Amino acid sequence: DDTASRTQHVVRSHRSHREEAMHLLSVVVTSASLLISGANAQEITVSPYLQWGTPQSMWVLWETTSGDESVVEWGLSEALGETAVGTITADAESSKIHSVKLDNLSPGQRYYYRTVTDGTLSTIYDFITPKTPESEQSFTLVAMSDMQRDSSNPLLYEDLITDGVIDYMTTEYNGDLADVLNLVMVPGDLVDNGWNRNEWITDFFAPSAPLMSHVPLYPVLGNHESNSRYFFDYFHLPDNGNNEHSWYLDYSNTR
């Protein structure tokens, strides 16, 4: 009986050590998987923003740290249902700028959309397409410039967007942003140094996000952009000018 008892104790002890070893191995494998997953997971560094809207189309752009998928899910409601695939501009600093054109849209129609990059989904936003030129639609635009960051007033541009444009448009006109504002023009000096990528992400796009995700943005070069490649990578503008150094836009009955 003593021999049998000692044998059972040894067996239980070996089983316990084996189970503990297997548990530790599982923890190590899981931790390694999480580390690999974390290393490969992309992040949205620039939220979706709108470009070059026409009665039949709209461009959607955004930036991620990685990922090879450029997809916009869109539709007439938040259920979405339609899918469009676009292209990527890869930056030397390993960022990915995604450009997707939504086509075959109807004039004066509200659409909902979100971006998809390798499983990373944005928030669902909306926009309204312009009406046809023949309708001679009344429209509202905002023109603003020289929003490059001032160290003595670092939150000035953010306040202009949220407490200025958005608050004024939605309060004074009693509507949602996509309905009451049709386009935003920025004639130059979006950032202080056009070759500083962080300024584009932090100083321009981050404060702009609540506005530019619903209303198309139309910028032109200023001297502070310094003809930087970032300007041309980040924007998809009308192709009727000189390689986006200049362009024109027809909206309703106005050029």
Side-chain angles (χ1 to χ4, degrees):
D1 290 343
D2 289 342
T3 301
S5 177
R6 286 196 299 272
T7 302
Q8 290 174 1
H9 175 74
V10 170
V11 170
R12 284 197 298 269
S13 178
H14 279 297
R15 183 182 297 123
S16 176
H17 285 303
R18 186 174 68 251
E19 290 173 350
E20 182 179 357
M22 291 299 293
H23 173 69
L24 289 173
L25 178 61
S26 174
V27 170
V28 170
V29 171
T30 301
S31 298
S33 298
L34 288 172
L35 286 172
I36 293 171
S37 175
N40 293 335
Q42 69 278 348
E43 176 186 351
I44 298 176
T45 50
V46 174
S47 296
Y49 56 101
L50 302 174
Q51 294 268 273
W52 194 7
T54 76
Q56 294 81 29
S57 64
M58 183 71 71
W59 283 89
V60 180
L61 286 84
W62 71 102
E63 183 182 36
T64 58
T65 52
S66 61
D68 295 322
E69 185 179 32
S70 297
V71 171
V72 172
E73 297 176 341
W74 61 278
L76 294 172
S77 72
E78 292 191 8
L80 307 176
E82 302 289 341
T83 300
V85 179
T87 59
I88 292 176
T89 299
D91 184 75
E93 296 162 354
S94 300
S95 71
K96 303 291 183 72
I97 300 174
H98 308 264
S99 303
V100 177
K101 185 181 183 183
L102 307 186
D103 244 328
N104 300 314
L105 308 182
S106 298
Q109 175 67 56
R110 186 187 299 273
Y111 291 94
Y112 297 84
Y113 73 97
R114 71 179 174 191
T115 63
V116 182
T117 307
D118 295 351
T120 297
L121 308 178
S122 74
T123 301
I124 294 179
Y125 305 100
D126 68 342
F127 64 84
I128 297 178
T129 51
K131 293 183 179 179
T132 60
E134 292 76 19
S135 69
E136 298 198 351
Q137 170 199 13
S138 297
F139 66 97
T140 302
L141 65 88
V142 165
M144 54 186 176
S145 68
D146 297 83
M147 63 279 299
Q148 68 266 40
R149 187 176 186 273
D150 179 356
S151 57
S152 59
N153 296 284
L155 299 180
L156 187 60
Y157 182 47
E158 182 178 352
D159 291 342
L160 170 67
I161 294 292
T162 56
D163 299 336
V165 175
I166 294 177
D167 184 64
Y168 178 82
M169 296 304 301
T170 55
T171 301
E172 292 296 317
Y173 291 91
N174 298 316
D176 62 83
L177 195 58
D179 186 43
V180 299
L181 182 59
N182 302 103
L183 59 96
V184 176
M185 295 184 63
V186 184
D189 293 352
L190 289 71
V191 294
D192 187 55
N193 176 9
W195 287 99
N196 185 329
R197 179 171 167 266
N198 186 62
E199 289 188 12
W200 287 101
I201 295 173
T202 305
D203 298 344
F204 180 74
F205 282 112
S208 300
L211 177 62
M212 311 308 184
S213 56
H214 300 281
V215 182
L217 161 68
Y218 297 93
V220 293
L221 284 163
N223 62 301
H224 278 267
E225 276 66 71
S226 301
N227 215 29
S228 160
R229 75 171 190 274
Y230 292 125
F231 179 90
F232 302 102
D233 287 347
Y234 276 125
F235 301 117
H236 196 109
L237 299 168
D239 56 6
N240 48 31
N242 178 23
N243 296 320
E244 296 186 338
H245 287 80
S246 62
W247 49 267
Y248 65 86
L249 173 74
D250 289 338
Y251 198 102
S252 185
N253 59 1
T254 304
R255 171 163 295 183

